[in-house]
């Protein structure tokens, strides 16, 4: 069967040895888009053979994160509450040990692999010597040609054998869909590599290929960090007489300084982005742009629009810089596209978190949150910024720094005088109707009469009413705060300012 005749089957194969990483999310998205675009099948396989580093908590973080992103798979393992799907399972490598043992035995019988009796100390000595001689580490091959008698002697010593794959000589070449023609000499592979450890544990290159074969994977779409592993994989496919999938290695994701994205320098866990209030639409949209572009000016795409446009052939090979500012911008764009009732749903947990943390004194009801939507939707880069933006509405008292009540061009006496006058104006207006466009004109008149810059007057009122210098539009904010509470807060602010030089209160 030629490559193109194979049904399209792709997979994501995360190892649950850490929380869902931005890079894994991007690989998942690109596999998903390719599968949906081509009508292929998308598989999730858990590569959990490293028992010491794998954990159920990480597995859950990865699966929850992918669900949250809306990247659904057609075949995959059973996970809390969901049965396994697909005919090629189990989809957890820890449950596939008998198959690895069987394939390893086949490679051994065909002499494509051999037992290696070297101890950890012996291998370490080889490594140290290579380092001292400034050579790249490489297995010497000292067990490659042992006679049956020599093997028996090692066994009699009680040495356990690892299984090494014979790499052989020559150049491994393949055509990567993204990177084009790639050639890597087998001498760059570090010698014959271990596929099964002495304790019987099968290792990554081997299990990865055995499963790609068993699951009939047609295209391997993964990060460029695996490019150098691909020759080993191809040699294994060949040794097992199986068709070689097509490879597509996605560009590295880079820190702004163009070093490889790392958790030391960047936030890499998807869960942290979720916790800060990035929304799935924006994150999916942004992940797609890490290596792919539509070829038009457009940059805002739903998942379905991405499925329509995505093309693996147009993914770039140059590293993709992760630009948090652009992500925040996209997030803001997406937040304003969310229908208001839905936005209420998404904001609620963030307000609840503010309440739990004691940053607000009461949890607003849904109607109240709903009424804020027009005021906040254009001003939220992150859902998590909601507390900073409007938390003062749900605090019993705001803390006031008297200095911040005084605009730059003013002194404290002017601020006190202005707040008193503004209070009188607002009290007057509010007795009739407390609406934003009723409050603004008389305050502007007041500023004009007194020769104050309206901006200074409004800033003093803003700080008095909210405790902060940046808020949604002032008059909407005062209305949201309510008549009584606005007056109360103005009174408190006036009281906080030194009385000297100020006119007597009425
Ligand atoms: N478990 C590997 C990883 O998470 C899978 C690599 C692959 O997609 O082949 O990096
Ligand atoms: Zn050896």
């Amino acid at each position: 069967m030629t490559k193109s005749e194979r049904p399209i089957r792709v997979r994501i194969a995360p190892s649950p040895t850490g929380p869902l990483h931005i890079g894994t999310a991007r690989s998942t998205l690109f596999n998903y888009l390719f599968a949906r675009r081509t009508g292929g099948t998308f598989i999730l396989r858990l590569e959990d053979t490293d028992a010491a580093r794998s954990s159920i908590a990480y597995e859950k973080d990865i699966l929850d994160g992918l669900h949250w992103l809306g990247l659904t798979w057609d075949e995959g393992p059973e996970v809390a509450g969901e049965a396994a799907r697909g005919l090629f399972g189990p989809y957890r490598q820890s449950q596939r040990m008998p198959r690895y043992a069987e394939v390893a035995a086949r490679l051994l019988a065909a002499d494509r692999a051999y037992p290696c009796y070297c101890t950890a100390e012996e291998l370490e000595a080889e490594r140290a010597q290579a380092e001292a001689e400034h050579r790249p580490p490489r297995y010497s091959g000292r067990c490659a040609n042992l006679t049956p008698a020599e093997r028996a002697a090692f066994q009699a010593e009680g040495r356990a054998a690892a299984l090494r794959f014979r790499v052989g000589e020559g150049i491994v070449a393949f055509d990567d869909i993204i990177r084009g023609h790639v050639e890597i000499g087998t001498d760059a592979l570090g010698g014959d590599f271990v596929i099964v450890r002495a304790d019987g544990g099968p290792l990554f290159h081997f299990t990865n290929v055995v499963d790609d074969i068993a699951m009939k994977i047609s295209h391997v779409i993964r990060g460029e960090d695996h490019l150098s592993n691909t020759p080993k994989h191809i040699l294994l496919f060949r040794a097992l007489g199986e068709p070689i999938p097509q490879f597509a290695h996605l560009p590295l994701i880079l820190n702004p300084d163009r070093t490889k994205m790392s958790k030391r320098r960047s936030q890499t866990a998807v869960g942290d982005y979720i916790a800060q209030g990035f929304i799935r639409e924006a994150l999916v949209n942004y992940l797609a742009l890490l290596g792919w572009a539509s070829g038009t000016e457009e940059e805002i795409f739903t998942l379905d629009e991405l499925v329509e446009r995505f093309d693996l052939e147009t993914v770039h090979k140059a590293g993709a810089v992760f630009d948090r500012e652009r992500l925040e911008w996209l997030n803001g764009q997406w937040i304003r596209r969310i229908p208001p009732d839905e936005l209420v749903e998404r904001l609620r947990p963030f307000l609840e978190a503010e309440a739990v943390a004691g940053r607000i004194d009461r949890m607003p009801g849904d109607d109240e949150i709903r009424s804020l939507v027009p005021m906040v939707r254009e001003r939220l880069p992150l859902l998590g910024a909601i507390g900073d933006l409007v938390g003062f509405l749900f605090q019993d008292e705001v803390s006031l720094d008297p200095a911040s009540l005084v605009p730059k061009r003013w002194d404290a006496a002017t601020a006190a005088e202005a707040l008193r006058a503004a209070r009188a104006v607002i009290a007057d207006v509010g007795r009739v109707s407390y609406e934003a466009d009723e409050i603004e004109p008389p305050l502007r008149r007041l500023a004009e009469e007194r020769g104050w810059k309206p901006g200074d007057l409004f800033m003093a009122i803003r700080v008095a009413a909210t405790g902060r210098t940046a808020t949604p539009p002032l008059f909407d904010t005062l209305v949201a705060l309510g008549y009584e509470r606005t007056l109360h807060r103005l009174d408190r602010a006036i009281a906080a300012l030194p009385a000297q030089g100020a006119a007597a209160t009425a």
Side-chain angles (χ1 to χ4, degrees), residues 58-69:
Y58 289 141
E59 182 182 306
K60 182 166 161 30
D61 184 86
I62 292 169
L63 299 178
D64 286 352
L66 297 178
H67 277 136
W68 182 86
L69 288 165

Side-chain angles (χ1 to χ4, degrees), residues 116-118 139 142-143 164:
C116 165
Y117 296 92
C118 297
Y139 176 63
R142 60 203 251 182
C143 301
R164 279 188 192 269

Side-chain angles (χ1 to χ4, degrees), residues 90-110:
Y91 294 92
R92 245 194 198 85
Q93 288 193 327
S94 56
Q95 295 169 350
R96 300 177 63 80
M97 293 301 163
R99 176 177 285 268
Y100 305 133
E102 180 198 310
V103 178
R106 256 209 283 150
L107 288 173
L108 178 63

